[in-house]
Amino acid sequence: MRPQVPITVSLSIRYAGIAYLTGSVLFTIHYFASQYRNSQPVPVVKPKVMTEPGMGTFDVENIFYSQQVMNWQTPREFPEHGIEEDAVLSKIFSSTMQPSKVLPYYFKAIRQFDPESVTITTLITFDRYPIFSKLVTNYQGPISVTIHINDDELRDENLSKLHDMYNSNRYMREFVDVHVIVDKFDRQFNMWRNVARFFARSNYFMMLDVDFHICTNLQRHLSLDARAREVMRAGNAVVLPAFEYVEQDDGVDSATFPKNKESLRQLFDQKRITTFHDFFPKGHNATDYETWFSTDSVYKVTAYQHSYEPYVVLHKEGTPWCDERFIGYGANKAACLFEIYISGIDYYVLPQDFVIHQSHPYKEETRKQERKYNRKLYQNFQEEACFRYSRGLMNAHVWDTDKSRNLKEQCSKIRGFSQVMQLVVEDMQAEQEEEEEEEEKKAKQLLSEQEQQDQESKEHKEGLAENEKGHNLPEVV
């Protein structure tokens, strides 16, 4: 005869079975619902409708963004302090030409990115939409892009083109954060770079011109290369060597580009591919292409000079920002990389990854004039940056450490810099000696005062003891 199961146990088993069946049904429903939802087409993002007659797309966007407020946390007993976003952004980018309207996250990617991933930061105008779409499809990783739209009669038409571009590629919605700048100033390249970097959502960013194609699996290589990760986490920059096709027609279709170092070497030996802008060796020769072709390890750039303009991956925090006073072609990126270098950040070259330029026509006359103006600005900028960083490094007491090595190496080439800095060092040493003497004097004075107080205290105690002794003497009859 089977033993009788208690009623409470029987009920517990029954309820457990019901709970299990219910959970299974709910899980199944959730699974198929999510599969159905993921299989649906990506919704088309459309410009906001006009709210009043005569209002264009940008007029509506401007009202929407101008109503946003950034709240600043305060101690508990005080309410949050709100500042209009326009005011905050105007201060952040206050060294640029104004007025300029920044619309951050005009489109925002739906993915949450790994903090250790590399966000490509780039900048484009509406005529570069097709090549940007190719970049998005090729990289399929986080991208933060600044898009400039002129504030003219074509403004709203170009905004509509932006929506068309964003909807034309399914990877846009997954990976791309779009930040729009609307103003009347062409080619504020360093401001545009800073906007893309400021709103990037990972710890590392890559400064990349949109017409360069990353030919390798950069993210995978970085994840496998322990030395590269060590260099990056230390706050240094890693370089991707840059190449271009000798015949411009060969460099139009990135789908035909080599995908690994071996294939690239064959084309290089056949003289079909060369280093980027080999007619201006100062721009990229510090990468040391001969070493690159012969090594499988990360190596340090040892021949940096002020015209070096590599494509680099950098740590978002701690890296100097690009100086926004450079407007137009010429020296804008070199100035940015120069300041980064003299701040104490070293450049290292990745052994497997590279980029190739996608051919397109240049506005040579415009470039020629703007390069002429920026060349003089860059010379003045180098002097200013050298003295500014020198003072900062001295005040931080790291002038005699490796942190100052890059600055001393580059800035000593400026006429009179070494002599001026010697005088500054002597002045600071004299100031330090005076401060030390003053501190020593104060210490002696305090010691003297303390000794006097101790002596007075001792005499006071002795006096009290004498008085006490007098009180304790036997009374004479």
Side-chain angles (χ1 to χ4, degrees):
M1 181 177 177
R2 288 187 306 174
Q4 187 174 358
V5 179
I7 295 176
T8 54
V9 175
S10 177
L11 288 174
S12 297
I13 295 172
R14 184 178 301 174
Y15 290 147
I18 293 172
Y20 173 78
L21 290 172
T22 303
S24 299
V25 171
L26 291 175
F27 175 81
T28 303
I29 293 172
H30 172 76
Y31 173 79
F32 284 109
S34 62
Q35 290 293 103
Y36 172 78
R37 185 166 56 250
N38 292 337
S39 67
Q40 298 306 298
V42 175
V44 174
V45 184
K46 297 180 179 179
K48 295 178 175 65
V49 296
M50 301 179 190
T51 57
E52 293 183 14
M55 292 184 68
T57 302
F58 175 68
D59 298 316
V60 178
E61 304 285 7
N62 197 15
I63 292 171
F64 172 75
Y65 278 93
S66 296
Q67 291 173 346
Q68 296 192 115
V69 173
M70 301 183 72
N71 290 318
W72 301 83
Q73 295 292 335
T74 57
R76 287 182 183 176
E77 59 269 24
F78 299 104
E80 287 186 347
H81 177 57
I83 304 179
E84 291 183 356
E85 186 178 89
D86 281 351
V88 175
L89 293 176
S90 68
K91 173 56 181 173
I92 293 172
F93 304 108
S94 58
S95 60
T96 63
M97 298 179 71
Q98 297 290 339
S100 184
K101 181 67 176 179
V102 180
L103 308 177
Y105 299 113
Y106 189 88
F107 296 123
K108 188 174 183 180
I110 60 175
R111 286 206 180 193
Q112 294 297 320
F113 301 125
D114 180 354
E116 295 300 296
S117 62
V118 175
T119 297
I120 288 179
T121 59
T122 191
L123 45 105
I124 59 174
T125 50
F126 74 91
D127 57 324
R128 309 299 288 156
Y129 288 171
I131 202 166
F132 175 66
S133 185
K134 290 167 66 177
L135 171 65
V136 174
T137 300
N138 175 59
Y139 189 59
Q140 293 186 35
I143 296 177
S144 179
V145 58
T146 299
I147 296 180
H148 178 255
I149 294 180
N150 271 312
D151 190 8
D152 56 22
E153 66 278 2
L154 298 177
R155 179 193 64 198
D156 292 330
E157 179 182 336
N158 288 330
L159 272 173
S160 293
K161 289 179 180 178
L162 168 57
H163 284 261
D164 292 340
M165 184 270 292
Y166 196 81
N167 290 315
S168 67
N169 186 333
R170 65 190 181 94
Y171 296 115
M172 293 279 182
R173 187 168 177 266
E174 282 194 65
F175 299 109
V176 180
D177 292 338
V178 175
H179 321 292
V180 174
I181 297 176
V182 181
D183 59 31
K184 297 181 182 296
F185 313 113
D186 290 330
R187 296 184 290 283
Q188 292 199 86
F189 295 135
N190 278 355
M191 178 214 182
W192 301 354
R193 287 188 176 102
N194 286 344
V195 169
R197 171 188 166 186
F198 188 82
F199 295 107
R201 291 190 280 144
S202 68
N203 294 336
Y204 300 96
F205 70 100
M206 179 180 185
M207 285 199 300
L208 185 69
D209 293 342
V210 71
D211 48 357
F212 275 82
H213 180 78
I214 302 176
C215 297
T216 55
N217 191 335
L218 174 64
Q219 300 274 27
R220 182 173 181 274
H221 287 167
L222 288 177
S223 69
L224 296 175
D225 193 330
R227 175 58 178 155
R229 294 198 305 274
E230 177 187 0
V231 164
M232 292 167 62
R233 286 171 181 161
N236 294 303
V238 292
V239 174
L240 277 73
F243 297 85
E244 67 180 342
Y245 277 87
V246 174
E247 296 295 333
Q248 294 297 292
D249 289 345
D250 292 338
V252 174
D253 185 6
S254 60
T256 65
F257 290 1
K259 294 178 174 57
N260 54 59
K261 191 173 183 176
E262 292 72 24
S263 300
L264 173 69
R265 183 60 192 253
Q266 291 178 7
L267 294 172
F268 187 83
D269 290 342
Q270 295 168 6
K271 301 191 184 307
R272 293 181 57 196
I273 279 182
T274 184
T275 57
F276 182 63
H277 282 183
D278 58 1
F279 56 84
F280 182 64
K282 290 182 178 181
H284 290 270
N285 268 11
T287 298
D288 189 356
Y289 289 90
E290 184 177 349
T291 295
W292 185 76
F293 275 120
S294 62
T295 188
D296 290 324
S297 303
V298 173
Y299 62 93
K300 187 177 181 180
V301 171
T302 58
Y304 174 89
Q305 45 73 39
H306 70 270
S307 297
Y308 189 40
E309 292 188 318
Y311 294 96
V312 292
V313 178
L314 293 150
H315 203 288
K316 186 179 177 183
E317 299 296 330
T319 298
W321 297 85
C322 296
D323 194 294
E324 294 164 354
R325 293 172 294 176
F326 286 87
I327 309 296
Y329 294 109
N332 56 82
K333 185 181 174 188
C336 184
L337 293 167
F338 176 82
E339 184 168 354
I340 289 170
Y341 185 71
I342 67 169
S343 75
I345 293 174
D346 291 318
Y347 295 148
Y348 291 81
V349 184
L350 295 175
Q352 300 299 331
D353 300 285
F354 57 93
V355 295
I356 295 180
H357 182 248
Q358 298 176 80
S359 305
H360 65 88
Y362 290 106
K363 300 176 181 178
E364 285 301 336
E365 189 59 33
T366 301
R367 286 171 174 261
K368 182 179 179 181
Q369 292 299 319
E370 291 178 349
R371 283 196 181 104
K372 178 181 177 182
Y373 301 139
N374 280 337
R375 189 179 301 117
K376 179 61 177 175
L377 177 60
Y378 188 25
Q379 291 174 355
N380 295 336
F381 169 79
Q382 289 177 69
E383 294 184 13
E384 174 197 316
C386 282
F387 285 112
R388 175 160 47 90
Y389 274 89
S390 295
R391 192 71 181 185
L393 292 168
M394 286 182 176
N395 290 337
H397 305 293
V398 292
W399 180 251
D400 294 320
T401 69
D402 283 346
K403 183 74 173 175
S404 300
R405 184 185 62 254
N406 293 347
L407 182 145
K408 292 177 180 178
E409 165 202 305
Q410 290 301 308
C411 299
S412 62
K413 300 175 184 177
I414 297 173
R415 181 182 299 176
F417 174 83
S418 298
Q419 291 82 351
V420 170
M421 291 312 302
Q422 182 61 37
L423 294 175
V424 172
V425 169
E426 290 174 359
D427 287 344
M428 292 190 72
Q429 287 174 343
E431 289 178 6
Q432 186 176 354
E433 289 173 1
E434 289 178 5
E435 290 175 359
E436 290 174 353
E437 289 176 1
E438 187 66 26
E439 290 295 324
E440 185 179 353
K441 183 179 178 181
K442 288 180 180 179
K444 287 180 178 180
Q445 183 177 352
L446 288 172
L447 180 61
S448 177
E449 291 174 354
Q450 184 64 45
E451 288 176 347
Q452 184 177 350
Q453 290 176 4
D454 291 345
Q455 182 63 30
E456 291 175 353
S457 176
K458 180 180 178 182
E459 292 174 356
H460 178 68
K461 288 178 180 179
E462 289 174 350
L464 290 175
E466 288 293 331
N467 290 337
E468 184 69 24
K469 185 177 179 181
H471 287 302
N472 294 331
L473 288 175
E475 188 174 342
V476 177
V477 178

